[in-house]
C-alpha cells in the first residue's frame, strides 16, 4: 500500500514539474513617449511647429491597469517612457524582454503610443512608395542621413522583430499616425487636441536606397498568426484629446472603455466597437478622419477572447503523463439542462465626456473687449445646460476679437473646427447667435449618448450618395437606409440651428416597418413628396434608430401625432420638448425589451 501511494506521489510531482516547465507565460512591453528629445521644432515643409505630446505616458499606464484587471501580474509588464524609449532602448527591450524572454506557446503583448511618420520606401516593397515608422524618443526630424541616424524604427524592421516571436500568441497595438493629411475644412490650433505625427526628412534618402544599412528583403510586414491593431489608416492622422482625467489617444481611450465593459469579448468584437465609438466623435460635431485598422482583417484568430491563449499548447515530444484516475470514480449527478437564453443587448455606459447633463464650454478672452468677456462669462454661467471650465477638456470653445467696432466670434469644437458667428456690434445679438450654436451642440451631445456598439444587427444611413457630405441649398436630397434584418425605423434630423425633425415615419408613410436586406429610400415614389435642402445652412446630424419591435412615438414624447406634420410631411418637434425627446428615446432603448441598432451621419449645406 505504501509503495502504491509513493508511486502516485511521484506521478503527481512529475506532472506538476512538467506543467510548470511548459506552462504558458506572459510578457508585455508598453512604450509611451510624451517628451521628445528634439521637440518642439518648426517644420518648413508643413509650416507648423511640431510639439511634444501629453497622452502617451497616460496611455501606457492605463493599458498596464487594464492588463492587471485581466489577470496579468506587474512582473510580467515592462514599461518604457520618454528617455527610456530611445531607438536602442526600444529595440533592446523588445529583443531581451519579448524575444529572448519568451518561448513558443507564450503570450506576448506590445503597445506603442507616441509620434509616427512616413519616409521614402527603403526597399521597393510599398505600393505607395512610403515606409511607415514609429518615432523613438531621440528621433531627429531633420539633418539625419539614414533611418538609424534619424532614430526611427520602420515597418520593415518591426516585421523582422515580430517574426522572431513565431510560435507565440502575439498581439500588438500602435496608437500613432503615419500621415499628416489635413482635412478640407478650416481648423484653428487649440490646446485640447494634438496630432501624433512628426514630418521626418532624411537627407539624400530616395526610394530603394536602403539608407538604414540593413539588408531587409521584401516581405509582408504582418507575420502570420499575430494580431495587430492600428489607430488609423496609414494615410490618416491619429489624435489625442483632453479627457476629464487627462490626455489620451482617442483610439486607446475608447479601446480601454470597451475592455472595461465586457471581459469575455473577442478581438473582432473589440475592434468593431472601438471603430464605432471613434466614429461617434464625428456625431458630436468633431470631424475626425480616423479609421482604426486590424490585421489580419479576417480569420478565426480574431474570434479568440482578448488576452487569453489562442490555443492550448504543449510540446509533442514531452507531453506530461495523464493524471491517475480514482479507483472508484463517483458518477456525476444528473442535472437538468438549462434552456438556452438569448443574450440581452448591452446598453453601454457612455464615455465620461458625455455622461454629464451639461455642455462644457471654455471662454477665451475676447481680444480688445475685456468688459464683453466678463459679460459673456456671467451670461454663460446663467444658462442651465452650460458648464463653464478653464481646463483643457471642453465640448466647445468660444474665441474671438473686437475689430472695426464689431465682435467677431467663432465657436470651436475639440479639434479646432470653427463655426463663425455673424459679426455684430450688438451684445444681445451676439448672445443670441452664440446661444443657438450652444443649443445645437448640447443636443448633438445628447444624441451621442444613444449608441449601441454591440448590436444584434447592423444598419446604415446615408444621404443621396454614400460618399457625399456636402450639399447646396435648393438641391434635392434622398435619405437611404439599410438594415440586415426586419426592423422599425425612426429617422431624426437635427439642423444647425437646433431644429428637430422626424423624417420617418411621416404623414405619407405612417408605418415605419422596414424589410431587412433591402435599401429603403425616403421619400420614395409612393410617398408623393420631395425634399430639398433649405435654410439654415451649416452642419446637420441625421440619426437612424432601428428596433426589433415597434417603438411607438407616444412612448418617446411625440404626442398629437397627426397635428405635428409640417409642409413636407415631416414632424417638427417643438423647441421646448427637444431635450425631453432625446431623453425619452434613450430611456426606452435602455429597457432591454428589444434588440436595437443605430447609425449617424453628419452632413453640411452651403449656399
Amino acid at each position: 500500500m505504501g509503495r502504491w501511494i509513493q508511486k502516485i506521489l511521484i506521478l503527481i510531482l512529475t506532472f506538476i514539474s512538467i506543467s510548470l516547465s511548459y506552462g504558458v507565460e506572459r510578457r508585455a512591453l508598453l512604450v509611451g513617449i510624451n517628451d521628445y528629445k528634439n521637440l518642439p521644432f518648426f517644420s518648413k515643409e508643413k509650416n507648423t511647429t511640431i510639439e511634444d505630446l501629453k497622452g502617451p505616458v497616460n496611455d501606457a499606464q492605463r493599458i498596464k491597469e487594464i492588463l492587471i484587471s485581466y489577470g496579468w501580474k506587474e512582473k510580467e509588464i515592462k514599461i518604457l517612457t520618454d528617455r527610456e524609449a530611445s531607438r536602442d532602448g526600444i529595440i533592446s527591450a523588445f529583443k531581451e524582454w519579448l524575444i529572448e524572454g519568451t518561448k513558443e506557446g507564450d503570450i506576448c503583448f506590445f503597445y506603442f503610443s507616441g509620434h509616427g511618420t512616413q519616409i521614402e520606401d527603403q526597399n521597393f516593397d510599398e505600393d505607395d512608395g512610403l515606409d511607415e515608422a514609429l518615432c523613438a524618443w531621440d528621433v531627429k526630424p531633420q539633418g539625419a542621413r539614414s533611418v538609424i541616424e534619424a532614430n526611427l524604427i520602420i515597418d520593415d524592421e518591426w516585421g523582422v522583430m515580430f517574426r522572431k516571436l513565431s510560435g507565440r500568441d502575439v498581439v500588438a497595438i500602435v496608437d500613432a499616425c503615419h500621415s499628416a493629411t489635413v482635412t478640407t475644412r478650416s481648423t484653428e490650433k487649440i490646446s485640447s487636441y494634438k496630432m501624433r505625427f512628426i514630418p521626418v526628412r532624411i537627407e539624400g534618402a530616395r526610394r530603394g536606397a536602403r539608407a538604414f544599412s540593413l539588408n531587409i528583403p521584401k516581405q509582408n510586414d504582418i507575420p502570420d498568426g499575430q494580431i495587430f491593431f492600428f489607430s488609423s489608416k496609414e494615410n490618416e492622422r491619429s489624435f489625442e484629446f483632453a479627457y476629464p482625467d487627462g490626455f489620451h489617444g482617442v483610439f486607446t481611450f475608447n479601446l480601454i472603455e470597451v475592455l472595461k465593459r465586457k471581459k469575455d469579448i473577442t478581438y473582432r468584437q473589440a475592434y468593431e466597437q472601438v471603430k464605432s465609438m471613434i466614429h461617434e466623435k464625428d456625431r458630436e460635431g468633431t470631424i475626425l478622419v480616423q479609421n482604426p485598422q486590424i490585421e489580419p482583417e479576417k480569420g478565426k484568430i480574431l474570434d479568440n477572447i482578448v488576452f487569453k491563449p489562442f490555443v492550448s499548447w504543449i510540446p509533442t515530444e514531452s507531453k506530461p503523463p495523464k493524471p491517475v484516475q480514482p479507483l472508484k470514480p463517483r458518477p456525476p449527478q444528473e442535472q437538468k439542462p438549462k434552456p438556452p437564453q438569448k443574450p440581452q443587448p448591452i446598453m453601454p455606459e457612455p464615455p465620461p465626456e458625455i455622461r454629464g447633463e451639461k455642455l462644457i464650454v471654455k471662454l477665451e478672452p475676447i481680444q480688445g473687449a475685456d468688459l464683453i468677456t466678463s459679460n459673456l462669462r456671467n451670461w454663460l454661467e446663467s444658462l442651465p445646460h452650460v458648464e463653464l471650465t478653464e481646463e483643457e477638456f471642453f465640448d466647445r470653445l468660444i474665441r474671438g476679437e473686437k475689430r472695426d467696432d464689431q465682435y467677431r466670434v467663432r465657436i470651436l469644437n475639440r479639434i479646432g473646427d470653427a463655426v463663425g458667428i455673424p459679426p455684430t456690434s450688438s451684445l444681445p445679438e451676439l448672445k443670441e447667435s452664440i446661444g443657438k450654436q450652444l443649443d445645437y451642440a448640447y443636443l448633438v451631445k445628447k444624441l451621442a449618448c444613444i449608441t449601441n456598439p454591440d448590436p444584434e444587427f447592423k444598419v446604415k444611413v446615408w444621404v443621396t450618395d454614400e460618399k457625399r457630405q456636402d450639399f447646396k441649398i435648393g438641391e434635392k436630397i434622398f435619405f437611404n437606409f439599410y438594415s440586415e434584418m426586419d426592423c422599425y425605423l425612426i429617422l431624426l434630423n437635427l439642423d444647425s440651428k437646433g431644429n428637430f425633425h422626424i423624417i420617418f415615419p411621416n404623414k405619407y408613410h405612417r408605418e415605419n416597418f422596414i424589410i431587412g436586406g433591402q435599401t429603403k429610400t425616403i421619400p420614395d415614389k409612393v410617398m408623393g413628396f420631395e425634399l430639398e435642402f433649405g435654410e439654415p445652412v451649416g452642419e446637420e446630424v441625421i440619426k437612424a434608430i432601428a428596433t426589433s419591435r415597434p417603438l411607438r412615438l407616444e412612448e418617446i414624447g411625440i404626442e398629437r401625432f397627426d397635428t405635428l406634420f409640417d409642409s413636407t410631411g415631416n414632424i417638427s418637434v417643438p423647441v421646448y420638448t427637444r431635450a425631453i425627446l432625446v431623453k425619452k428615446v434613450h430611456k426606452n432603448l435602455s429597457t432591454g425589451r428589444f434588440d436595437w441598432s443605430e447609425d449617424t451621419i453628419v452632413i453640411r449645406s452651403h449656399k
Side-chain angles (χ1 to χ4, degrees):
M1 187 67 177
R3 290 184 179 180
W4 182 81
I5 295 175
Q6 187 178 19
K7 288 181 180 180
I8 293 295
L9 289 174
I10 290 173
L11 285 173
I12 292 174
L13 291 173
T14 302
F15 176 74
I16 293 174
S17 175
I18 294 175
S19 297
L20 290 174
S21 62
Y22 289 110
V24 173
E25 297 198 16
R26 300 174 294 199
R27 287 286 178 94
L29 177 61
L30 317 180
V31 179
I33 310 174
N34 282 2
D35 302 319
Y36 280 80
K37 179 180 179 181
N38 298 309
L39 296 186
F41 92 101
F42 182 78
S43 170
K44 294 181 180 179
E45 179 183 359
K46 301 296 180 182
N47 192 33
T48 188
T49 298
I50 309 300
E51 300 176 336
D52 286 320
L53 300 172
K54 295 184 178 182
V57 174
N58 291 339
D59 290 343
Q61 185 60 41
R62 289 285 301 278
I63 290 291
K64 176 183 177 181
E65 292 170 1
I66 203 72
L67 286 174
I68 291 174
S69 75
Y70 272 73
W72 290 55
K73 300 176 182 178
E74 286 212 30
K75 66 179 183 180
E76 298 172 330
I77 305 170
K78 187 179 186 67
I79 296 184
L80 302 180
T81 60
D82 294 342
R83 184 180 295 270
E84 300 169 325
S86 63
R87 174 185 156 88
D88 290 341
I90 295 173
I91 293 176
S92 296
F94 195 99
K95 177 182 177 182
E96 296 169 7
W97 186 251
L98 294 183
I99 298 174
E100 298 175 355
T102 62
K103 61 185 181 303
E104 289 190 2
D106 288 346
I107 300 175
C108 294
F109 177 76
F110 176 76
Y111 174 82
F112 179 91
S113 179
H115 276 304
T117 193
Q118 285 183 318
I119 60 171
E120 289 283 337
D121 181 12
Q122 300 294 295
N123 60 345
F124 290 111
D125 66 341
E126 303 288 351
D127 293 335
D128 61 359
L130 298 170
D131 273 323
E132 285 72 49
L134 300 183
C135 300
W137 164 78
D138 48 357
V139 63
K140 294 180 180 177
Q142 53 190 0
R145 300 190 62 83
S146 70
V147 169
I148 292 178
E149 189 179 335
N151 292 316
L152 298 173
I153 308 177
I154 67 171
D155 47 15
D156 300 280
E157 293 181 88
W158 286 114
V160 171
M161 291 192 288
F162 275 100
R163 275 178 180 77
K164 292 181 180 179
L165 293 177
S166 177
R168 289 102 164 145
D169 293 351
V170 178
V171 177
I173 297 174
V174 176
D175 196 340
C177 59
H178 303 298
S179 172
T181 306
V182 296
T183 68
T184 56
R185 301 187 71 189
S186 60
T187 60
E188 298 185 25
K189 191 171 183 179
I190 54 178
S191 62
S192 65
Y193 87 99
K194 292 179 182 294
M195 185 174 61
R196 295 183 164 185
F197 176 83
I198 298 177
V200 176
R201 186 176 182 84
I202 298 177
E203 302 298 332
R206 63 187 185 279
R207 191 178 184 193
R210 293 188 181 174
F212 50 92
S213 70
L214 294 174
N215 186 19
I216 299 179
K218 295 181 182 180
Q219 57 188 343
N220 178 20
D221 295 333
I222 306 298
D224 294 333
Q226 301 181 6
I227 298 176
F228 286 73
F229 287 88
F230 300 99
S231 57
S232 61
K233 291 181 179 179
E234 60 187 24
N235 62 343
E236 292 177 347
R237 302 175 291 174
S238 291
F239 295 93
E240 65 174 31
F241 275 110
Y243 291 93
D245 66 338
F247 272 82
H248 294 285
V250 171
F251 176 79
T252 298
F253 179 87
N254 285 282
L255 176 63
I256 289 172
E257 287 294 307
V258 168
L259 297 181
K260 279 164 41 178
R261 292 174 189 167
K262 192 177 180 183
K263 291 196 174 182
D264 59 348
I265 194 170
T266 67
Y267 289 101
R268 190 192 310 275
Q269 291 169 335
Y271 166 69
E272 292 294 341
Q273 291 189 26
V274 171
K275 184 168 68 172
S276 174
M277 292 171 71
I278 288 180
H279 290 170
E280 188 69 29
K281 302 303 174 186
D282 292 354
R283 303 160 195 178
E284 295 176 49
T286 300
I287 308 304
L288 254 185
V289 185
Q290 180 173 339
N291 292 282
Q293 302 295 296
I294 192 170
E295 291 287 348
E297 295 180 0
K298 300 178 180 179
K300 292 184 178 179
I301 190 174
L302 300 180
D303 294 322
N304 287 287
I305 302 298
V306 170
F307 298 138
K308 289 190 177 180
F310 294 167
V311 293
S312 179
W313 182 90
I314 297 178
T316 54
E317 297 181 359
S318 304
K319 290 184 179 179
K322 295 181 180 179
V324 178
Q325 298 294 325
L327 295 177
K328 294 182 179 181
R330 186 175 298 172
Q333 296 180 352
E334 293 186 6
Q335 295 182 355
K336 294 182 179 179
K338 296 181 179 180
Q341 294 183 350
K342 184 179 179 182
Q344 293 296 323
I346 297 173
M347 184 61 195
E349 183 182 5
E353 72 273 22
I354 61 174
R355 286 179 193 151
E357 291 293 326
K358 296 187 177 184
L359 187 75
I360 301 175
V361 177
K362 184 174 183 178
L363 173 64
E364 289 186 348
I366 306 300
Q367 298 177 23
D370 293 341
L371 290 177
I372 296 302
T373 301
S374 178
N375 193 303
L376 284 177
R377 183 175 301 279
N378 293 334
W379 169 68
L380 289 168
E381 288 177 342
S382 71
L383 297 178
H385 60 293
V386 168
E387 177 184 335
L388 276 179
T389 183
E390 297 296 331
E391 304 298 325
E392 289 179 313
F393 170 78
F394 54 80
D395 295 310
R396 292 295 184 270
L397 170 70
I398 300 176
R399 169 184 289 173
E401 63 278 336
K402 184 179 181 181
R403 190 171 69 248
D404 300 329
D405 292 326
Q406 287 189 317
Y407 307 119
R408 302 176 184 271
V409 175
R410 288 95 62 205
I411 297 180
L412 294 79
N413 58 27
R414 287 193 288 150
I415 199 173
D417 202 3
V419 174
I421 299 297
T424 179
S425 57
S426 167
L427 182 57
E429 288 182 6
L430 178 63
K431 289 180 180 179
E432 182 181 2
S433 297
I434 292 175
K436 288 180 179 179
Q437 287 298 323
L438 297 185
D439 284 347
Y440 169 78
Y442 172 69
L443 287 170
V444 171
K445 182 175 181 178
K446 300 293 289 183
L447 277 176
C449 293
I450 305 175
T451 180
N452 186 359
D454 190 20
E456 292 291 322
F457 61 101
K458 294 182 180 179
V459 300
K460 185 174 184 180
V461 64
W462 66 98
V463 177
T464 304
D465 186 331
E466 288 188 57
K467 297 181 181 179
R468 289 191 62 182
Q469 238 183 341
D470 293 89
F471 300 84
K472 292 184 178 180
I473 295 297
E475 184 176 354
K476 285 184 173 59
I477 59 170
F478 300 89
F479 296 92
N480 298 283
F481 174 79
Y482 176 86
S483 172
E484 292 180 338
M485 60 176 277
D486 292 355
C487 64
Y488 296 86
L489 170 66
I490 294 180
L491 193 61
L492 304 174
N493 167 233
L494 177 66
D495 68 26
S496 60
K497 300 301 182 183
N499 301 313
F500 230 137
H501 310 279
I502 298 180
I503 305 297
F504 191 84
N506 54 54
K507 182 177 182 179
Y508 307 98
H509 204 296
R510 304 189 183 197
E511 296 298 325
N512 62 339
F513 177 74
I514 301 293
I515 299 175
Q518 301 180 11
T519 297
K520 177 69 174 178
T521 300
I522 305 168
D524 58 19
K525 295 180 180 179
V526 177
M527 293 183 189
F529 71 97
E530 294 182 338
L531 290 175
E532 65 178 37
F533 263 109
E535 299 283 356
V537 298
E539 183 179 274
E540 299 193 20
V541 177
I542 311 297
K543 191 168 192 80
I545 299 172
T547 56
S548 59
R549 291 172 51 188
L551 185 62
R552 294 188 297 272
L553 292 180
E554 56 269 21
E555 289 182 344
I556 60 174
I558 302 299
E559 313 292 347
R560 299 177 296 109
F561 182 79
D562 291 333
T563 65
L564 293 174
F565 294 113
D566 60 23
S567 58
T568 65
N570 301 316
I571 298 176
S572 295
V573 180
V575 171
Y576 58 88
T577 63
R578 294 174 304 180
I580 297 175
L581 168 68
V582 177
K583 187 174 182 178
K584 286 193 174 184
V585 169
H586 198 186
K587 182 178 179 180
N588 272 268
L589 295 176
S590 304
T591 61
R593 293 186 290 114
F594 43 75
D595 297 331
W596 65 282
S597 187
E598 55 80 31
D599 190 27
T600 312
I601 56 172
V602 176
I603 57 177
R604 306 177 198 92
S605 58
H606 312 271
K607 289 184 177 180

